[in-house]
Each structure stands twice: as structure tokens, then as C-alpha cells.
Amino acid sequence: MLKIKFLPHKILLPKGKVCFASSGETILDVALKNNILIEHACEKSCICTTCHCIIRKGFSSLSFCNEKEEDALDKAWGLEEKSRLSCQAKLGSKDIIVEIPYYSKNSFVKSEKC
């Protein structure tokens, strides 16, 4: 079993969480199975960036980032060199550490402050 460490997130996961998964699972599927409610407005079809995450450790172990994902990532808020869409990034053979950005570009979700 692989270990995925999700770093603390102010709203979704204040204390962070360590989860276990199998090779080939996506980061998003592992998160959702473990009650980490990462947004995924396009229902895993790789056309939005609401499931954007940053891989802090183990990036090279993930599946290859295809052109469709790269094009979608170009629109992500807070894009970094090791950013991935969690709906597309499949686990390889090494443990990873994931950061969920505080903001996403989801124009369909109203802010609680509205």
C-alpha cells in the first residue's frame, strides 16, 4: 500500500491526513474515499481546475501528465511546477505528499460571504 499525506488545509482538512491507496488510483479518488472533499466541478473529465493540487513529494512517481491536463492546468489558480489535477494524477510506486490549494477557479460555487 502507498501512503498519501494530505497537508493541512484551512477549511477541508485543518489537521491534514494520511491515507493509504493502491498504485493506479487517482489522488482525487483516494481523497474522496477518505472523506476529503476536494472540489471536482467537471466530475473528473479534465476540463476544469477545481481539483488542482500541488505535489510536494513523489511527483515523478505519478502517471504522465497528458496535453489535455496540461492545457487545463494553465487555467489553475496558483499553478506551480509540480501542480496536477487530482482527477488525472494516478499513483505510481512511491508515497506522495499533496497540498490542496486554498483557492480554486470555480465560478459555479458561491462564497459563504455572499
Side-chain angles (χ1 to χ4, degrees), residues 5-82:
K5 180 179 182 179
F6 289 92
L7 297 175
H9 181 281
K10 193 175 186 179
I11 295 171
L12 295 177
L13 208 56
K15 295 182 180 179
K17 189 170 192 173
V18 174
C19 303
F20 295 92
S22 299
S23 180
E25 289 186 89
T26 66
I27 294 170
L28 179 59
D29 287 337
V30 174
L32 295 174
K33 282 194 316 190
N34 287 278
N35 297 313
I36 302 169
L37 304 178
I38 296 176
E39 267 188 88
H40 51 289
C42 71
E43 293 297 322
K44 307 177 190 178
S45 62
C46 193
I47 57 173
C48 76
T49 61
T50 58
C51 72
H52 167 233
C53 65
I54 303 162
I55 311 305
R56 296 296 182 204
K57 181 182 176 191
F59 183 84
S60 63
S61 177
L62 297 174
S63 62
F64 180 71
C65 185
N66 65 31
E67 189 175 337
K68 184 176 180 180
E69 181 183 357
E70 287 176 351
D71 289 345
L73 276 170
D74 285 341
K75 301 171 197 143
W77 183 91
L79 183 67
E80 293 189 16
E81 184 179 337
K82 294 188 177 179

Side-chain angles (χ1 to χ4, degrees), residues 87-98:
C87 71
Q88 300 298 305
K90 292 182 181 177
L91 300 171
S93 59
K94 295 182 182 176
D95 297 343
I96 64 170
I97 297 175
V98 177

